[in-house]
Amino acid sequence: MQLLGIAGSLRKGSYNRALLRAAAELAPPGAVLEEHDLRGLPIYDGDLEAAGDPEPVTALKDAIRRADALVIATPEYNRGIPGGLKNAIDWASRPALASPLAGKPVAIMGASTGRGGTARAQQQLREALGFPRAMVLEEPEILVPEAYLYFDEDGELVDQETRGQIAELLASLARVPVLAAVVDAGNIAPVD
């Protein structure tokens, strides 16, 4: 199983990139998580899109298409998702009826230095992913507040409870593509 990790923070030393590193370590047997960096992605512009997707956009869409599922780790900026992450979703949601996000299983988690643990950002992220019809897991919900308490000085996730939650989230995600394949085959009607 190929998992695509996307960090909403562009900082190399971000807690959310550290969550993705932990997820790569905790992935179920047979699953591999590779991170896609959003740096260099232009701001969504319909004129750019009409002229043909720029290379960084094509690379993002191709990475999403190749992946069996996505793992997104988002910080919370000003009570919402970072602009760069929203921009990536805007690009990936196009074209509207043929988005690479359509039917793609997605797991969400997030770390923040604040007490809210990215709850608002995760809700906005779920809403943004709903339009292109991504299949976003509802549980387990991984909110890491005051992240500096969960990571050591090398940026490694040392909180065992959070590590267990991430392993559970990835195990749940690994089961979703099987269900999606059954729905795609026409054996089960998708739930509205």
Side-chain angles (χ1 to χ4, degrees):
M1 177 176 205
Q2 185 66 40
L3 303 174
L4 180 67
I6 297 175
S9 173
L10 299 180
R11 288 186 322 106
K12 288 183 181 180
S14 82
Y15 291 120
N16 288 284
R17 285 187 186 276
L19 280 178
L20 288 179
R21 282 194 307 274
E25 295 168 11
L26 298 164
V32 176
L33 187 143
E34 291 184 16
E35 187 179 341
H36 186 86
D37 195 335
L38 299 180
R39 279 193 181 96
L41 202 62
I43 293 174
Y44 176 77
D45 177 338
D47 291 339
L48 275 179
E49 180 186 24
D53 287 345
E55 190 281 325
V57 173
T58 300
L60 173 65
K61 289 181 179 181
D62 288 347
I64 293 171
R65 283 187 189 96
R66 283 191 307 270
D68 296 306
L70 305 181
V71 180
I72 301 176
T74 185
E76 185 168 296
Y77 295 168
N78 300 316
R79 298 184 177 178
I81 60 176
L85 180 55
K86 175 64 167 71
N87 182 54
I89 294 167
D90 290 345
W91 275 112
S93 70
R94 308 287 301 155
L97 298 176
S99 166
L101 292 169
K104 189 69 64 172
V106 180
I108 296 173
M109 56 185 167
S112 171
T113 56
R115 293 184 185 170
T118 74
R120 289 182 181 111
Q122 288 191 37
Q123 182 56 42
Q124 287 180 1
L125 185 53
R126 288 176 197 289
E127 291 170 5
L129 289 166
F131 179 77
R133 301 175 319 281
M135 298 172 49
V136 183
L137 295 182
E138 294 296 324
E139 294 180 339
E141 191 173 50
I142 300 176
L143 306 168
V144 181
E146 300 176 323
Y148 47 86
L149 300 173
Y150 293 74
F151 295 87
D152 67 15
E153 59 278 351
D154 296 321
E156 297 299 316
L157 179 62
V158 293
D159 182 75
Q160 293 307 310
E161 182 178 343
T162 304
R163 291 179 72 82
Q165 290 172 342
I166 291 172
E168 182 182 341
L169 179 69
L170 296 176
S172 295
L173 188 61
R175 291 189 293 271
V176 173
V178 173
L179 296 175
V182 172
V183 170
D184 287 345
N187 297 328
I188 297 176
V191 178
D192 245 351

